[in-house]
Amino acid sequence: MNYIVLVSTVLSFFSCGNKTQLTDKKMDVKKEIMNDSVQVATFAGGCFWCTEAVFLEVKGVEKIVSGFTGGFVKNPAYREVCNETTGHAEGIQITFNPKEVAYEDLLEIFFATHDPTTLNKQGADVGTQYRSAIFYHSQEQKTKATAYIQLIEKEKLYANPIVTQIEEAGVFYLAEDYHQNYYNQNKEQGYCQYVIAPKLDKLRKYYKSKLK
């Protein structure tokens, strides 16, 4: 095996996009009702296998779906998103109870468990589909996300500038079935062990009081 092939194989092992199985089941996830006991948050922070696994452990989170948002093509398939032909980001849509977990807490965990300073890149996952973005569902969420970024920039928590985009939430397309709850169903896979598991270790160490 030559050097180029070896490097390609290693990067594939640690990359979210190395599995391209397709199904015909794709749906447009409609916006859910927002009230005092049900809120929705939408984040993109690299591979959605990672972000989903992290937030599934957070107290007050009632449901998470992985999918695609922020693009310009209807009903995108995973392979199309990975080829960067649809403009979508891999994201998660979180349904949560604001009486149990504040939106600000979700923002804190979001920024703590991915690198918001690398443009279109998280580790070996490279491409616009892996961009860091917050898709707000209300003016209040937009204000809180903007204020939080200003705070961490003021406190100089990162050596490099924050590149996280703040965009209004639009259509969120559900990803294929095998992407849902991916980590918990594929813990023995290399990507899960070497990329996702360390994020969960950090979450459990520093945010124990916020976990289920």
Side-chain angles (χ1 to χ4, degrees):
M1 180 181 292
N2 63 35
Y3 177 75
I4 294 176
V5 174
L6 175 61
V7 171
S8 177
T9 301
V10 171
L11 288 177
S12 176
F13 183 75
F14 292 108
S15 173
C16 175
N18 67 335
K19 188 171 183 180
T20 57
Q21 171 187 349
L22 293 175
T23 69
D24 292 330
K25 184 180 179 183
K26 297 184 290 292
M27 63 177 287
D28 174 359
V29 178
K30 302 299 182 183
K31 291 183 179 180
E32 299 190 40
I33 296 173
M34 303 271 279
N35 55 46
D36 290 342
S37 59
V38 177
Q39 296 282 315
V40 177
T42 302
F43 298 138
C47 176
F48 48 22
W49 299 342
C50 296
T51 46
E52 178 194 59
V54 165
F55 283 99
L56 277 173
E57 299 202 359
V58 177
K59 187 187 308 179
V61 170
E62 299 179 350
K63 183 178 72 174
I64 299 179
V65 291
S66 292
F68 316 112
T69 193
F72 50 81
V73 174
K74 291 182 64 175
N75 296 316
Y78 183 55
R79 181 168 55 193
E80 295 172 322
V81 174
C82 287
N83 289 337
E84 299 183 70
T85 59
T86 72
H88 289 86
E90 289 191 16
I92 58 169
Q93 187 161 275
I94 305 168
T95 302
F96 66 99
N97 186 339
K99 295 178 181 178
E100 296 184 28
V101 60
Y103 185 70
E104 291 89 340
D105 292 330
L106 298 181
L107 288 172
E108 182 179 354
I109 291 170
F110 171 69
F111 280 102
T113 53
H114 86 293
D115 188 346
T117 70
T118 52
L119 185 63
N120 302 328
K121 181 179 184 296
Q122 290 294 311
D125 294 322
V126 180
T128 55
Q129 72 272 31
Y130 300 121
R131 63 187 181 269
S132 176
I134 297 167
F135 298 89
Y136 61 88
H137 292 265
S138 66
Q139 185 61 42
E140 181 181 16
Q141 285 190 355
K142 180 182 181 181
T143 300
K144 289 179 177 180
T146 302
Y148 193 84
I149 290 176
Q150 291 174 344
L151 174 64
I152 58 179
E153 287 182 327
K154 180 180 179 181
E155 297 296 325
K156 301 187 185 303
L157 297 185
Y158 297 91
N160 298 312
I162 303 296
V163 297
T164 303
Q165 300 170 359
I166 299 178
E167 304 176 25
E168 184 175 7
V171 178
F172 187 99
Y173 294 100
L174 189 67
E176 294 84 353
D177 284 347
Y178 74 92
H179 291 296
Q180 310 301 328
N181 198 25
Y182 188 86
Y183 173 77
N184 289 320
Q185 298 186 69
N186 299 275
K187 290 183 179 180
E188 301 306 313
Q189 193 212 54
Y191 188 90
C192 292
Q193 291 185 19
Y194 295 100
V195 179
I196 301 177
K199 291 177 180 285
L200 295 177
D201 289 341
K202 181 178 182 180
L203 176 76
R204 293 162 186 166
K205 180 178 179 179
Y206 293 106
Y207 295 96
K208 186 176 181 179
S209 65
K210 292 180 170 58
L211 304 185
K212 295 175 180 175

